[in-house]
Amino acid sequence: MSCPINSKAELAKLSPEKAEELDVYLTSLPLTDDRERNRGFLIQSLHKAQEIFTYLPSVVQVHVANRLGLHLAEVYGVISFYSYFTDKPVGRYKINICTGTACFVKGADKLVEEFQRYLGIKLGETGTDGKFSLTGLRCVGACSMAPVVMVNDRVYGNVTTKMVPEIISDCK
Amino acid sequence: MIDSPAKLKSHAENLSKNSKPATTILVSLGTCGIAAGTRPINDMLKAEIASRKADIEIVEVGCMGLCHSEPTIEVVNNASGKSVIYGKVKADQVAAIIETASKGIEAASCTVINRSWFYPEENETATPERIQARIVLKNTGKINPEILDHYLAEKGYQALSKVLFDMTPQQVIDTVIESGLRGRGGGGFPTGKKWAFAAAQKADQKYVLCNADEGDPGAFMDRAVLEGDPHSVLEAMAITGYAIGSDTGIIYIRAEYPLAVKRLEIAIDQAKKQGLLGKNILGSKFSFDIMIKYGAGAFVCGEETALIHSVEGKRGEPTVKPPFPAIEGLWKKPTVVNNVETFANVCAIIRNGAPWFKKIGTPGSPGTKVFALAGKVKKVGLVEVPMGTTLRQIIFNVGGGIMNDRKFKAVQTGGPSGGCIKFDQLDTEIDYESLKRLGSMMGSGGMIVMDEDDCMVNVAKFFLEFTLDESCGKCTPCRIGNKRLYEMLHRICDGRGTRETIQNLKDLSNSIKDTALCGLGQTSPNPVLSTLAQFEHEYLAHIDEKRCEAGVCKKLLKYEINNSCVGCTLCARNCPANCISGSVKQKHSIDQSRCIKCGVCMDVCKFHAVDRK
Ligand SMILES: Cc1cc2nc3c(=O)[nH]c(=O)nc-3n(C[C@H](O)[C@H](O)[C@H](O)COP(=O)(O)O)c2cc1C
Ligand code: FES
């Protein structure tokens, strides 16, 4: 059922430390031979893997599938379903523009346009130099400061199109 | 270890006897507070207290609900019990606040916020200034959510102790049924009945599932409860477990709420260490454990069958009900799914009894409802009001009216499943049924206020775009029907719509409502139908006159410079598309072919020389 290749070795080629970190986490889970039960740990394993690798390349998917005793297709199905997971590399700076309702009525669409224009990439894309990714996000719960932009963990509130260059230049 | 009800009681009594410093300063450190820069203020307050050796303690609390005035702090004089809330606290006010707090007086030159709520559990009643009633938010903004003793001092875990030692599971269910508590996650299903269904099932395992997915964008009630008072949800889940015969609780929480996750983890850990969760709670025969499972950014996972699949590690696709989760849920076992806010009511009901709870709210919808009031309203924040309060009171009394004194246009409730409510309907007393009659719904509590600058066709388009993004794709009406709806709205916004488009919108909306598989698709046309019903004239203006009243739909707009232009060059310098030309002191002009219609020229012009047509 699981993929015949030695996925841990493949993963270690990407980064031995990261491969080890993920493996320690997977080993800590109370996994059994019951695939259905193991599947309950899939989403949290993918969260952990994405936290470690910043995205979920196919070697990571194969390894998680192998350890949980799941088919690669099942793992990929979950990754493609949930918007939080990505199998493409992301930029060092993830610019998340909130497009929740509160931010929408306060003009988030203008911010989206301005960021796209300024960075020359579209929502959902990463720049060729790998520095910036631009994504939309639905409500971070800081609606009182709408419109809100999050860059990695930093929150900018009451953002205007004029602040865009300033926010970009904060990313050093 | 607190291993008996007597110990719990004596522990709480000791806590209340502990001597307190002269003054307590509560610092609001929820997500909004932190984002608004409350942490540096908090550090300064601490430093100031230390340098003056003042007899003041700082308590870091969750959201006070006053998101519009962050950084917010509350200074409580422990001798007199009097308190004063300061909003928008600035660094240079810190010294004065500590100075006056030590003397027990108000700091001049600070923004004082009036308390607009009362606590029904403390026998307070409503006054014209205090129309909010805090039951769910009783502790948020009052206790440090990371310190168990703070919760225990506020009667924490006494409801659990009461059910374990003084009540049978059936009595617990009867109490909740009698209280009339209805699900706060949107549907309004009677909570006690749901528990009774699950309790009646014979199974080797049952589950209690807490829905903390809070997918409605622009709503943050559940987040505030989990960040500000996590133990109240844990305690209620254990009570539910006792009532239905389950030993396992699971909280499904969205990944976008890292602070709430952290506080829940801390709370679970503390409760287990003290014997308030885990094996033989409070020395009884009842055991109950709680785990956290994480969402991964899918709105449909808020729907209970989809949520269950997500916990099982699958794609979060919904399935047809029945079977209802209470009969066949997680891993095919009987499962009670309740919303965070629903749980947050349970302990108060058990502590005070069903008749007490029924006195608040309306006969059909007892209790309170928490709303996340946001959008174009002056005081954005969390609002908890008795059911039956009018929308006008919420928006104009508690919310302070519309920002920049613009004109109110509509209020949207129920998120992507809800609808828009007009000015002349604002005196409606809210409960589950009244909002449905207006073509909207209670939803989970998002309340977005819109003013004359919002185009209602565009608002409908926004929600449809959201649904399109979030549709799981399993059923055709939702996957394809909503796409067609979206395209039609797009055509209208672009000035390409006809009267026939409106008829098609209505027909297709009704087909989708009738045929979609789950609650997401069945309610997704609501924003379209409700804006059509209330604001048809705006649709018609787009179609017949190619005009967007609110000035939002770009294809229908044109910016032109009129004769008031003095040639100050400000617009040309600010234009992001560099399409404004003209020399100094000469009238400028806009190259329409390159104009991106961002409106910056109009915003910056000091001479009203830019017209939007
Ligand atoms: C599309 C959709 C999204 C939903 N999202 C949520 C949600 O974010 N939070 C929630 O508590 N309930 C949500 N619900 C309602 C749940 O299906 C379920 O009715 C609720 O969790 C039951 O708890 P309650 O009875 O305490 O309200 C959603 C329903 C649908 C159809
Ligand atoms: S809608 Fe943007 S923070 Fe809530």
Side-chain angles (χ1 to χ4, degrees):
Chain A
M1 166 182 317
S2 61
C3 192
I5 60 168
N6 182 345
S7 56
K8 172 103 191 265
E10 288 296 313
L11 198 57
K13 283 188 201 153
L14 217 60
S15 155
E17 299 82 33
K18 290 180 177 176
E20 188 54 32
E21 194 183 344
L22 178 60
D23 229 42
V24 168
Y25 177 78
L26 293 173
T27 308
S28 75
L29 298 172
L31 299 175
T32 59
D33 289 339
D34 182 348
R35 275 164 39 84
E36 286 306 314
R37 285 292 165 154
N38 288 352
R39 197 199 301 274
F41 298 104
L42 175 57
I43 292 181
Q44 66 203 71
S45 303
L46 293 175
H47 269 296
K48 188 73 190 178
Q50 185 159 302
E51 185 190 314
I52 297 171
F53 289 91
T54 70
Y55 72 112
L56 299 168
S58 55
V59 278
V60 173
Q61 297 177 29
V62 172
H63 187 60
V64 171
N66 278 352
R67 291 294 309 265
L68 268 60
L70 300 170
H71 293 292
L72 178 57
E74 293 172 306
V75 173
Y76 181 73
V78 164
I79 292 173
S80 63
F81 183 86
Y82 295 96
S83 63
Y84 201 85
F85 297 131
T86 168
D87 57 356
K88 300 200 177 57
V90 291
R92 268 177 294 133
Y93 293 96
K94 268 210 285 194
I95 301 180
N96 265 309
I97 306 171
C98 177
T99 50
T101 320
C103 291
F104 162 74
V105 300
K106 293 270 188 77
D109 49 342
K110 284 195 182 149
L111 294 181
V112 172
E113 275 169 27
E114 185 60 13
F115 271 105
Q116 288 183 344
R117 200 187 62 80
Y118 198 87
L119 294 173
I121 50 176
K122 288 235 146 34
L123 214 58
E125 289 180 354
T126 300
T128 42
D129 62 351
K131 188 166 179 193
F132 297 107
S133 310
L134 194 59
T135 38
L137 165 143
R138 306 282 187 187
C139 195
V140 293
C143 313
S144 57
M145 301 194 304
V148 173
V149 172
M150 249 177 107
V151 181
N152 293 347
D153 286 335
R154 184 160 171 195
V155 179
Y156 293 86
N158 300 314
V159 181
T160 59
T161 45
K162 276 206 202 120
M163 286 162 68
V164 170
E166 194 186 312
I167 292 173
I168 300 289
S169 67
D170 276 354
C171 302
K172 280 191 236 68
Chain B
M1 193 79 169
I2 305 176
D3 53 10
S4 72
K7 264 198 194 164
L8 180 69
K9 217 163 175 192
S10 66
H11 187 75
E13 274 161 14
N14 286 341
L15 287 173
S16 67
K17 273 187 227 142
N18 280 354
S19 68
K20 279 194 170 170
T23 309
T24 302
I25 297 185
L26 309 174
V27 181
S28 170
L29 278 170
T31 294
C32 42
I34 293 170
T38 307
R39 279 219 173 103
I41 297 285
N42 189 33
D43 293 340
M44 280 180 235
L45 285 167
K46 282 184 183 160
E48 190 70 29
I49 292 169
S51 79
R52 288 174 190 250
K53 299 199 174 58
D55 188 20
I56 298 176
E57 68 169 345
I58 293 271
V59 176
E60 295 165 2
V61 300
C63 181
M64 291 183 188
L66 303 165
C67 309
H68 58 93
S69 69
E70 300 292 355
T72 320
I73 66 170
E74 180 171 359
V75 178
V76 186
N77 184 323
N78 287 322
S80 68
K82 285 221 175 83
S83 82
V84 45
I85 303 171
Y86 297 113
K88 297 208 183 291
V89 177
K90 294 184 194 67
D92 58 9
Q93 296 171 334
V94 166
I97 289 173
I98 299 297
E99 164 98 42
T100 50
S102 317
K103 294 186 189 144
I105 52 174
E106 251 177 50
S109 80
C110 291
T111 316
V112 174
I113 312 267
N114 293 326
R115 169 149 85 96
S116 59
W117 61 87
F118 64 98
Y119 296 103
E121 225 179 322
E122 321 246 311
N123 289 323
E124 293 181 354
T125 47
T127 65
E129 298 81 47
R130 295 185 177 169
I131 62 167
Q132 293 196 61
R134 292 204 164 168
I135 297 175
V136 170
L137 301 178
K138 172 173 104 69
N139 290 332
T140 63
K142 230 162 113 183
I143 64 168
N144 183 327
E146 298 185 14
I147 300 178
L148 176 61
D149 274 349
H150 281 199
Y151 183 65
L152 294 177
E154 297 288 339
K155 308 195 189 104
Y157 288 96
Q158 292 185 9
L160 179 59
S161 168
K162 183 173 168 184
V163 303
L164 291 183
F165 295 93
D166 302 332
M167 292 170 88
T168 63
Q170 189 58 46
Q171 282 172 326
V172 177
I173 292 175
D174 290 343
T175 304
V176 177
I177 290 181
E178 196 202 328
S179 76
L181 176 65
R182 298 172 65 175
R184 303 291 194 242
F189 190 82
T191 304
K193 267 200 197 154
K194 193 185 278 186
W195 294 9
F197 287 141
Q201 298 302 307
K202 292 216 173 2
D204 55 346
Q205 176 73 59
K206 296 178 188 177
Y207 294 102
V208 177
L209 204 57
C210 173
N211 187 344
D213 196 43
E214 190 148 68
D216 175 3
F220 47 93
M221 305 76 50
D222 297 348
R223 193 209 78 207
V225 172
L226 294 172
E227 280 179 9
D229 193 14
H231 282 287
S232 69
V233 176
L234 304 183
E235 185 182 353
M237 288 177 71
I239 292 172
T240 315
Y242 176 74
I244 67 162
S246 156
D247 65 356
T248 307
I250 294 168
I251 301 175
Y252 183 86
I253 184 165
R254 33 191 325 231
E256 287 89 342
Y257 285 175
L259 185 61
V261 171
K262 182 182 141 216
R263 296 214 167 132
L264 272 175
E265 283 169 348
I266 294 173
I268 292 173
D269 202 46
Q270 290 168 336
K272 277 191 189 159
K273 284 209 177 95
Q274 288 296 334
L276 299 166
L277 278 181
K279 285 241 164 329
N280 301 96
I281 293 173
L282 288 164
S284 71
K285 288 206 181 68
F286 177 68
S287 301
F288 193 78
D289 224 332
I290 296 180
M291 286 180 292
I292 303 179
K293 288 277 177 181
Y294 309 95
F299 172 67
V300 71
C301 287
E303 198 281 334
E304 52 194 7
T305 60
L307 184 145
I308 285 170
H309 294 143
S310 185
V311 174
E312 290 170 348
K314 298 182 190 146
R315 293 163 68 93
E317 288 167 356
T319 37
V320 185
K321 294 186 276 190
F324 287 93
I327 314 293
E328 196 182 302
L330 185 61
W331 316 111
K332 303 229 179 296
K333 303 291 181 192
T335 303
V336 160
V337 184
N338 273 133
N339 164 262
V340 171
E341 191 185 331
T342 314
F343 279 125
N345 277 293
V346 168
C347 300
I349 293 172
I350 298 290
R351 278 195 302 264
N352 303 287
W356 169 84
F357 189 73
K358 274 202 296 197
K359 273 191 291 187
I360 304 153
T362 63
S365 309
T368 60
K369 179 76 193 87
V370 184
F371 291 101
L373 186 61
K376 305 280 180 65
V377 57
K378 277 189 191 143
K379 298 182 188 167
V380 171
L382 271 188
V383 176
E384 181 176 2
V385 287
M387 298 274 191
T389 307
T390 67
L391 286 162
R392 190 184 304 279
Q393 282 174 309
I394 297 176
I395 297 166
F396 289 90
N397 291 23
V398 183
I402 310 301
M403 267 171 62
N404 305 324
D405 293 311
R406 304 289 288 169
K407 225 168 95 194
F408 171 92
K409 185 185 264 182
V411 54
Q412 210 277 347
T413 67
S417 315
C420 292
I421 294 163
K422 272 200 306 195
F423 189 75
D424 54 11
Q425 298 164 330
L426 283 183
D427 289 315
T428 311
E429 297 179 349
I430 43 170
D431 63 23
Y432 292 94
E433 281 70 32
S434 67
L435 289 178
K436 230 179 243 164
R437 274 196 300 275
L438 294 180
S440 185
M441 62 183 269
M442 181 78 84
S444 55
M447 191 177 267
I448 309 274
V449 178
M450 301 181 200
D451 67 9
E452 52 194 324
D453 296 332
D454 291 303
C455 163
M456 300 317 281
V457 189
N458 194 44
V459 166
K461 194 176 90 179
F462 165 79
F463 282 114
L464 253 293
E465 191 182 350
F466 179 86
T467 319
L468 270 189
D469 246 17
E470 297 295 341
S471 169
C472 76
K474 187 170 176 178
C475 77
T476 318
C478 179
R479 185 183 64 244
I480 298 178
N482 282 321
K483 175 116 184 122
R484 295 289 100 85
L485 279 185
Y486 174 78
E487 288 163 357
M488 286 186 234
L489 291 169
H490 206 86
R491 273 207 295 283
I492 297 177
C493 287
D494 281 357
R496 291 181 288 124
T498 62
R499 294 238 169 182
E500 201 190 337
T501 320
I502 292 199
Q503 194 51 45
N504 290 344
L505 270 178
K506 286 183 188 161
D507 292 344
L508 183 55
S509 292
N510 287 319
S511 319
I512 296 173
K513 276 184 86 147
D514 291 343
T515 53
L517 169 69
C518 83
L520 175 72
Q522 286 155 12
T523 55
S524 60
N526 282 356
V528 182
L529 290 173
S530 101
T531 48
L532 263 174
Q534 318 277 16
F535 299 95
E536 189 164 13
H537 62 276
E538 282 197 34
Y539 281 81
L540 292 178
H542 282 75
I543 290 170
D544 296 342
E545 304 163 40
K546 309 287 173 222
R547 190 170 61 85
C548 174
E549 202 174 276
V552 172
C553 296
K554 285 192 177 159
K555 285 269 167 70
L556 305 182
L557 292 185
K558 198 171 164 194
Y559 288 90
E560 274 174 1
I561 295 177
N562 63 33
N563 288 334
S564 307
C565 178
V566 297
C568 72
T569 73
L570 194 60
C571 59
R573 278 181 283 134
N574 278 286
C575 175
N578 283 325
C579 71
I580 303 180
S581 54
S583 33
V584 187
K585 296 194 178 159
Q586 297 290 315
K587 186 182 161 191
H588 281 46
S589 70
I590 300 175
D591 177 353
Q592 297 296 342
S593 65
R594 279 161 53 221
C595 174
I596 57 168
K597 301 179 185 175
C598 63
V600 167
C601 48
M602 190 166 166
D603 293 342
V604 297
C605 181
K606 297 193 173 93
F607 304 95
H608 301 290
V610 183
D611 293 328
R612 185 168 64 199
K613 288 182 180 150

